Amino acid sequence: DVGGLSIQAAKGRNTALLAKLNWRFHTEKDSQWAKVLRLKYCSNRRLNSRNEARLPCSRTWRSMKKGEAVFKKGITWVLGYNSNRSFWHDNWTKVGILRNIIQGPLTTESNLLEIKDVASLEGWNWKLLQLEIPEDVKREIQATPLSCVARNQDKLAWKPSPKGFFDLSSTYLLASEPLPDPAFQGKWIWKLDTLSRIKTFIWKCMHQSIGVRDCLQAKGLQVDNFCPHCHNRPESILHALRDCHVLKT
């Protein structure tokens, strides 16, 4: 911890530097090193893998992942004109990521909503949202400034900094705080008006406890995670229940 001489703990300092590397990765997109890492480790197939942490990677990428939690804790998005940020999954409000505080099932269309789909200069179209937004959260959303200038684009900002620029001092304080365990987002399951076995099945899906190949591989079993029916995509729970065209027929 910080003592009388303002000496910083090595672990917190190192984590803050790794968070800075994440910041540079997202803000220096045209730099050669960022392009190489993005092409190598940010493909859709890799990002959709259930066991991404076990996939082979370089020492640099593995180190960046250690600072990712602190990076995500400190960032926010300043919305540009017709923002294409995710309404549910990006951190753009003062209350944080909306999906972390609002529970309930979402359709594919609602889950993919972008801010420009819901917001306009006339106001917010709450009817598009499948879930009910609490009034206090609505007020925070309505207080979020929207750009009316077409050349303004979404911009990443650092929340602890008054000017939005990244700084190591505030990042060290974030890194020194214990990260809270993510709350289970499935309490709504037991309030559904349906059969108990259906509730139990949904609960198992939320805990990744269904015997599809992605879940088995994540538990350490040496199995090929591609769907045994269509052989096109990894067999995740969503793929088996919704996306596999062979099972649909």
Side-chain angles (χ1 to χ4, degrees), residues 189-206:
I189 295 172
W190 308 112
K191 300 177 182 179
L192 294 175
D193 185 18
T194 187
L195 298 175
S196 296
R197 63 175 179 269
I198 296 179
K199 296 179 185 178
T200 303
F201 177 76
I202 299 174
W203 183 85
K204 287 183 177 181
C205 289
M206 293 287 291

Side-chain angles (χ1 to χ4, degrees), residues 9 34 41 46 72-73 97 105 108 119 121 136 139 143 153-154 163 165 177 188 198 210 223 226 243 249:
Y41 300 117
R46 187 181 181 100
K72 289 183 176 180
K73 191 177 179 180
I97 298 174
T108 303
L121 295 180
D136 57 331
R139 288 193 291 270
Q153 298 180 347
D154 298 330
K163 295 184 179 180
F165 300 136
E177 296 176 359
W188 53 271
I198 296 179
I210 303 299
V223 295
F226 266 71
D243 300 333
T249 58

Side-chain angles (χ1 to χ4, degrees), residues 96-142:
I97 298 174
L98 293 177
R99 195 63 179 121
N100 290 347
I101 60 175
I102 299 175
Q103 298 183 8
L106 287 175
T107 61
T108 303
E109 291 76 14
S110 183
N111 191 54
L112 296 177
L113 280 176
E114 296 177 349
I115 295 173
K116 64 183 177 184
D117 300 325
V118 186
S120 66
L121 295 180
E122 288 75 30
W124 295 83
N125 187 359
W126 305 114
K127 295 180 180 179
L128 281 179
L129 304 179
Q130 185 181 354
L131 300 178
E132 184 67 27
I133 306 294
E135 287 300 322
D136 57 331
V137 177
K138 275 187 179 181
R139 288 193 291 270
E140 290 291 349
I141 292 175
Q142 290 168 334

